[in-house]
Amino acid sequence: MAVTAAARAQRQRCTRQAWRTWTAGTAIALLAACALAVEIDPVASQIGFTLHTRWGQALQGSFPDARGTVDELPDGRHQVRLQLSTRTVEILGHPSYTRLTRGSGFFDAERFPRIDFVSDAYPSQLLRSGGELPGMLTIRDVRRREVFTILPASCEHPARECDVIASGSIHRGDFGMDRWNFAVSDRVLFSLRVRVRGQG
C-alpha cells in the first residue's frame, strides 16, 4: 500500500542507522521500529461471518468494531494485524443468536473479548493479483494457523481505491467453541471487505 515520500525517506534513514549499529540485537530492534503502518478503517471496512443452523437457516454475523493495521516492513513486504471485538459481535436480526455467540459456549466475550489475526508477511502484489494469505488466528486464547483467500483487486491501489475482499472458513470446535452443535454447524465462514484510512 502506498506511503508518502517523506515516510519512505524516514524509513530509509532509519534502516541505514540500523545497519550501522554494532550489535545484531540492536539492529534488529531498529529495523522493527522502521516498519510503517496504516490503520484499517473501521467504518469503511466490513468484517462478517455466516453460520448455518441445522434447519438450513443462514445466520449473518458482523464485527462492527474491527481495528488493526497494515504494516509495511523494511523489506517492502506487508503484514496485516486485525483485531475483532467479541463483545459487540452481532447476528443481524436475531438478538437470541447474538446472545448465544457472545456467550460462554461460543466466543465467550466476557473472558475472551478479542479475536486476533496476524498475517504472514506478503508482497503488495498479492492484493492486486489475489491468492492465499496465511497467518495466525487467535480465538478464545487458542492460536492456529489459518488461511484466507484474497480475490483479485478491481483497482490499481486496493484498500485505498477499492475494497480488499477476502474469505476463509474455520471449524469452531478447533477453537474450543464446541457447544450448540445440535443447533449450529461447526463451520464458520468469514468474509472481509477491508479499507485503510489516511495517506500512510
Side-chain angles (χ1 to χ4, degrees), residues 4 9 20 22 30 33 73 79 120 125 135 137 139 141 147-148 161 183 187 189 197:
T4 64
R20 285 197 298 266
W22 288 97
L30 284 171
L73 305 177
Q79 185 175 45
D120 292 352
Q125 179 61 30
L137 180 65
I139 303 176
D141 279 353
V147 177
F148 290 88
E161 298 174 353
R187 194 177 184 207
L189 306 175
R197 60 185 176 185

Side-chain angles (χ1 to χ4, degrees), residues 97-145:
Y97 279 111
T98 293
R99 289 191 296 270
L100 182 150
T101 54
R102 293 181 188 178
S104 60
F106 214 91
F107 290 126
D108 198 356
E110 191 64 30
R111 295 179 59 205
F112 308 106
R114 203 172 81 179
I115 294 172
D116 289 283
F117 178 72
V118 180
S119 79
D120 292 352
Y122 63 90
S124 59
Q125 179 61 30
L126 176 67
L127 300 187
R128 291 189 288 272
S129 61
E132 293 188 342
L133 178 62
M136 295 301 300
L137 180 65
T138 304
I139 303 176
R140 295 171 57 112
D141 279 353
V142 177
R143 297 176 73 245
R144 288 180 56 89
R145 286 191 64 78

Side-chain angles (χ1 to χ4, degrees), residues 142-195:
V142 177
R143 297 176 73 245
R144 288 180 56 89
R145 286 191 64 78
E146 300 288 349
V147 177
F148 290 88
T149 300
I150 297 176
L151 293 182
S154 60
C155 65
E156 181 62 26
H157 302 290
R160 294 191 182 279
E161 298 174 353
C162 60
D163 294 346
V164 173
I165 302 175
S167 63
S169 67
I170 66 166
H171 293 282
R172 58 190 180 89
D174 290 340
F175 294 89
M177 299 184 289
D178 51 7
R179 291 177 59 186
W180 310 110
N181 288 334
F182 69 92
V184 181
S185 66
D186 181 59
R187 194 177 184 207
V188 181
L189 306 175
F190 282 92
S191 60
L192 304 88
R193 303 181 74 95
V194 177
R195 292 274 188 136

Side-chain angles (χ1 to χ4, degrees), residues 9-52:
Q10 174 62 29
R11 188 181 65 185
Q12 289 170 356
R13 288 193 295 271
C14 182
T15 302
R16 286 195 296 269
Q17 180 184 357
W19 290 122
R20 285 197 298 266
T21 59
W22 288 97
T23 66
T26 304
I28 290 170
L30 284 171
L31 283 171
C34 291
L36 300 175
V38 292
E39 290 186 351
I40 291 174
D41 189 330
V43 176
S45 300
Q46 300 175 17
I47 314 294
F49 60 96
T50 303
L51 299 172
H52 289 91

